[in-house]
Amino acid sequence: MTNRTAVLAHAARLARHAPSILNTQPWQWRIGRHTAELRPDPTRLLPHVDPQRHLTLLSCGAALHHAQVAVHALGWDVLVERGDNPLARLVLGNPAAQRDTDLAAAITHRHTDRRPFGAQPPSDEIIADLRHAAETHGLHTHQVRRDEIPLLAATTARAASDAAHRPGHTAEIAHWATGRPSAGGRRPVPLRALHGPATGDGDIGARYLVLHGPGDTPADWLRAGEALSSLLLTATVRGIACSPMSELVEAPWPRGLLATLIGEPCHPYLVIRCGYPTNDEPPPATTRRPEAETTTYLMGVTGASTL
């Protein structure tokens, strides 16, 4: 395997750590000598939880950004060609100065943290850093004000209740939460016992950011995943724990309420809960799919690293 192929293989390997809906890790990489193609994995779609595949695309976007960060940290330029099939193609450029090394180092340390957060909120400076991380990808975040927390809390509770009554929804979550490894490569994931917006229940230091943008196309959702990855890795670098809250965008009406809360015409993609956990121990790490399940090499290309 050429050195260029080894760089792309390394990037796909690190991208396995990206966040994804129900930890499905719904992406596939095809590695060539100078390119890496990203496609959704048809065996890991969620027809009940994610019927429009929005969150699958967002998950793939997070993996795409992880891969770009990994390439930059090794000291290479990379061009992203976007399309429908594949969703994106990474074309390795020329050697360049290393960058994004702090974000790359955070990839294997970032974990979704659904535990209660303490009373100390992240500083305005840190929140500004997180918002800037999303803005570098052309997206915006709305920081939920304290007086908006009751509306967010009510929307969260109603969305969870409605989801529980949608046919197939609860069974699909249970399948991915408790499923044993199988031909589809399933792995156990945490149950969706999310801490929603707090009203004095020990989570009062949490801050909430609504990731949003102007479009609702597949390309927009992929870009939203890249922005999410950038925000979450930046949070890890700054010592902040996060948990994405996807229930609020899984159905049209809670997404509409989020847009009303933001106060401008937009398309919400996700809510991110940020704060400091009360427990210094890291949360349990979720299992990652084996590289052989997520990455294939084109004819004449092998996966042996020469980095």
Side-chain angles (χ1 to χ4, degrees), residues 202-232:
D203 206 33
I204 58 175
R207 292 294 178 263
Y208 300 88
L209 299 175
V210 184
L211 182 66
H212 64 91
D216 196 33
T217 68
D220 292 315
W221 282 91
L222 189 74
R223 183 80 70 176
E226 294 175 84
L228 173 66
S229 168
S230 182
L231 187 155
L232 295 179

Side-chain angles (χ1 to χ4, degrees), residues 12-127:
R13 200 171 295 124
L14 274 189
R16 294 182 304 124
H17 295 275
S20 60
I21 176 65
L22 290 181
N23 196 38
T24 49
Q25 303 166 53
W27 46 73
Q28 293 178 323
W29 292 96
R30 294 182 64 190
I31 308 294
R33 297 191 182 279
H34 306 287
T35 63
E37 295 180 349
L38 173 67
R39 290 176 169 82
D41 186 337
T43 70
R44 306 182 76 81
L45 302 180
L46 301 170
H48 299 289
V49 172
D50 185 32
Q52 295 179 301
R53 303 188 180 182
H54 286 161
L55 297 173
T56 294
L57 290 165
L58 188 143
S59 303
C60 288
L64 176 62
H65 179 259
H66 271 46
Q68 292 174 72
V69 165
V71 171
H72 291 158
L74 288 177
W76 291 80
D77 283 329
V78 63
L79 172 68
V80 181
E81 299 176 346
R82 300 170 187 273
D84 297 321
N85 187 28
L87 296 173
R89 178 183 292 110
L90 297 181
V91 182
L92 201 62
N94 297 317
Q98 286 182 301
R99 59 192 188 277
D100 292 342
T101 53
D102 56 342
L103 298 184
I107 286 177
T108 56
H109 298 287
R110 183 214 61 82
H111 302 291
T112 296
D113 197 334
R114 304 194 190 283
R115 299 173 299 178
F117 292 158
Q120 176 64 37
S123 68
D124 291 343
E125 177 186 1
I126 289 178
I127 293 297

Side-chain angles (χ1 to χ4, degrees), residues 87-199:
L87 296 173
R89 178 183 292 110
L90 297 181
V91 182
L92 201 62
N94 297 317
Q98 286 182 301
R99 59 192 188 277
D100 292 342
T101 53
D102 56 342
L103 298 184
I107 286 177
T108 56
H109 298 287
R110 183 214 61 82
H111 302 291
T112 296
D113 197 334
R114 304 194 190 283
R115 299 173 299 178
F117 292 158
Q120 176 64 37
S123 68
D124 291 343
E125 177 186 1
I126 289 178
I127 293 297
D129 282 349
L130 304 189
R131 301 181 72 182
H132 176 71
E135 289 168 1
T136 60
H137 296 272
L139 273 73
H140 302 286
T141 54
H142 171 77
Q143 182 176 357
V144 180
R145 303 189 310 266
R146 294 301 298 175
D147 63 296
E148 295 172 331
I149 291 291
L151 174 60
L152 184 62
T155 304
T156 302
R158 175 67 186 277
S161 175
D162 285 3
H165 291 88
R166 291 207 302 269
H169 189 279
T170 300
E172 192 166 74
I173 290 177
H175 171 74
W176 285 96
T178 61
R180 293 183 294 273
S182 69
R186 297 181 178 87
R187 297 293 184 269
V189 296
L191 291 172
R192 275 184 152 190
L194 299 185
H195 272 266
T199 53

Side-chain angles (χ1 to χ4, degrees), residues 238-257:
R238 296 302 304 266
I240 297 297
C242 296
S243 61
M245 300 167 60
S246 62
E247 290 95 325
L248 291 164
V249 299
E250 289 172 6
W253 76 261
R255 286 189 72 203
L257 282 180

